Amino acid sequence: MDMSIYLTQFEVPDMDMLIVGILILSIASFNSCMVVNGKKHTLDVIQYGAKGDGKSDDTQAFMHAFKALCSGNHGNTLVVPKKYSFFVRPTLNFTGPCHSKHINIKVMGTILGPKRNDWGKECSIMLIHFFNISRLTLEGSGVINGNGEGWWDRVKGAGDCSRIPTALQFDKCNGLKITGLTHINGPGPHIAVTDSNDVTISNIHINTPKESHNTDGIDLTRTNRVNIHDSPISCGDDCIAIKGGSNFTNISQITCGPGVHGISVGSLGGHGAEEYVENLIVKNCTFNGAASAVKIKTWPGGKGHVKNIIFKDIIINQTNFPVYIDQHYMRTPEQDQAIKISKVTFSNIYGTCIGDDAIVLDCAKIGCDNINLNQINITSINPKKPASVKCNYAHGKATNIISPRGNCVTKKQN
């Protein structure tokens, strides 16, 4: 018998079994790898030493966890788990660029800042700082508690500190998304976004007492293509402030109040600064018991312009200064130079005001041009004292004005 034939008859099945075995091991190994990667896909700050007891300093644990997240070797989601309170100190820095194409931080628990006396001597101007991180998403059902009660007495800073700090500061964070979180008790502004493009802020809650001075809800500075929507904001200063360099901003379905200063452009031009704001739309927003509603405020002596601004479909409930252009901010006297305001529309604004003046257009002597008032019906809560309108150097047109009575918008003389 030919032994080669005999061996071949038995070696072939053995080879088949070997191949099958290798395939089985490969599949098992792949599945095992998938499970491991599945576990690594989400990082947890507790795994990096965070205690979450509201007392222990978890700052370093957060920084180590973010470093792992940013490296791109451990997945792209960092979880701050619910039922924990994580105490952090300023400044908690999250700095890019990151290797991961998308960075997701999911806050389900509470992040707690220090009280004013525990803020530190380094005069940090922010509690948490996100810098140079593209496509960052900050989301969740958790709470950012700035613990800022000690900062609300209008005293600038603690000790030698010259500025009241911001709770969350985002610088150079293109593609930023903030959604779902609750922000309370900021020492100063709750959320500030600077030098960033393509930003979406939605479905957040900001809830800080009206006596909390200087606690803006959201501040935008030098931003492009920002969309803010579907969020209730109650704080002690501007609900949303659109500052210099902001372009193409859409704001909708925001409820402001009580106590806030409304949605404001500015203030701009302080200390003679040159600043610009263009292409802003604020629509379908409601103001309840606010100190003001839709507003543009500039300092005398400033340079630059504000143009292509639309405020429309606005509900006013017992709000002071519903429609306001203030080019003499903080009652500062007229100067030779002023920021130019043009192409501003106030349309379909209705409800009740608590002060005498439903519409104030206090422009600088250079004049505000192309100011359009349309479909406005704002009445005083005091039936014995109807709401009024006041204008200085406001040029444009007014149509379909039911209340307040009177029209002081004039056609510009050539």
Side-chain angles (χ1 to χ4, degrees), residues 306-323:
V306 175
K307 68 179 181 180
N308 296 331
I309 311 296
I310 297 174
F311 301 103
K312 70 176 183 178
D313 304 329
I314 304 296
I315 300 173
I316 308 293
N317 293 319
Q318 299 188 29
T319 292
N320 203 12
F321 296 111
V323 175

Side-chain angles (χ1 to χ4, degrees), residues 125-323:
I125 59 174
M126 58 197 79
L127 175 60
I128 303 175
H129 186 205
F130 298 85
F131 177 73
N132 197 25
I133 306 171
S134 297
R135 294 175 294 278
L136 166 66
T137 296
L138 181 65
E139 63 174 347
S141 58
V143 176
I144 308 293
N145 184 350
N147 211 2
E149 291 89 340
W151 296 90
W152 299 342
D153 56 5
R154 293 183 179 272
V155 177
K156 294 292 185 181
D160 295 330
C161 297
S162 60
R163 284 182 55 184
I164 295 174
T166 298
L168 296 181
Q169 176 73 45
F170 300 85
D171 292 326
K172 297 184 178 181
C173 291
N174 296 332
L176 171 66
K177 293 182 180 180
I178 305 172
T179 185
L181 296 172
T182 296
H183 305 257
I184 63 174
N185 301 331
H190 291 81
I191 299 172
V193 183
T194 304
D195 296 312
S196 302
N197 303 323
D198 303 305
V199 175
T200 300
I201 303 174
S202 65
N203 297 291
I204 65 168
H205 295 73
I206 296 177
N207 188 7
T208 296
K210 62 182 180 180
E211 63 269 17
S212 58
H213 303 291
N214 302 304
T215 55
D216 288 3
I218 302 171
D219 286 354
L220 304 177
T221 305
R222 297 186 300 277
T223 57
N224 287 282
R225 299 179 298 279
V226 176
N227 187 13
I228 304 173
H229 63 88
D230 294 286
S231 300
I233 300 176
S234 178
C235 55
D237 210 315
D238 293 323
C239 175
I240 301 173
I242 302 96
K243 298 181 180 293
S246 299
N247 195 9
F248 295 107
T249 307
N250 290 320
I251 299 171
S252 64
Q253 301 293 344
I254 302 297
T255 301
C256 292
V260 298
H261 285 253
I263 297 177
S264 302
V265 175
S267 60
L268 305 176
H271 306 289
E274 183 172 354
E275 297 185 290
Y276 303 87
V277 171
E278 300 181 27
N279 304 311
L280 165 68
I281 298 177
V282 177
K283 64 181 180 181
N284 296 320
C285 294
T286 300
F287 299 85
N288 296 318
S292 57
V294 289
K295 186 174 184 179
I296 300 172
K297 49 187 180 181
T298 69
W299 292 90
K303 296 178 287 185
H305 65 248
V306 175
K307 68 179 181 180
N308 296 331
I309 311 296
I310 297 174
F311 301 103
K312 70 176 183 178
D313 304 329
I314 304 296
I315 300 173
I316 308 293
N317 293 319
Q318 299 188 29
T319 292
N320 203 12
F321 296 111
V323 175

Side-chain angles (χ1 to χ4, degrees), residues 114-120 151 158:
K115 293 182 179 180
R116 178 172 175 169
N117 291 338
D118 297 328
W119 195 263
W151 296 90

Side-chain angles (χ1 to χ4, degrees), residues 58-72:
D58 290 326
T59 307
Q60 290 302 315
F62 271 75
M63 294 179 70
H64 292 321
F66 179 79
K67 183 178 180 180
L69 178 72
C70 191
S71 72

Side-chain angles (χ1 to χ4, degrees), residues 53-104:
D53 57 12
K55 298 178 181 179
S56 303
D57 187 351
D58 290 326
T59 307
Q60 290 302 315
F62 271 75
M63 294 179 70
H64 292 321
F66 179 79
K67 183 178 180 180
L69 178 72
C70 191
S71 72
N73 297 323
H74 305 276
N76 64 353
T77 299
L78 173 62
V79 173
V80 180
K82 62 182 179 180
K83 298 182 180 179
Y84 292 90
S85 181
F86 299 92
F87 174 72
V88 298
R89 292 188 178 278
T91 300
L92 175 55
N93 283 306
F94 298 135
T95 302
C98 293
H99 292 284
S100 296
K101 293 182 178 180
H102 299 277
I103 294 293
N104 184 28

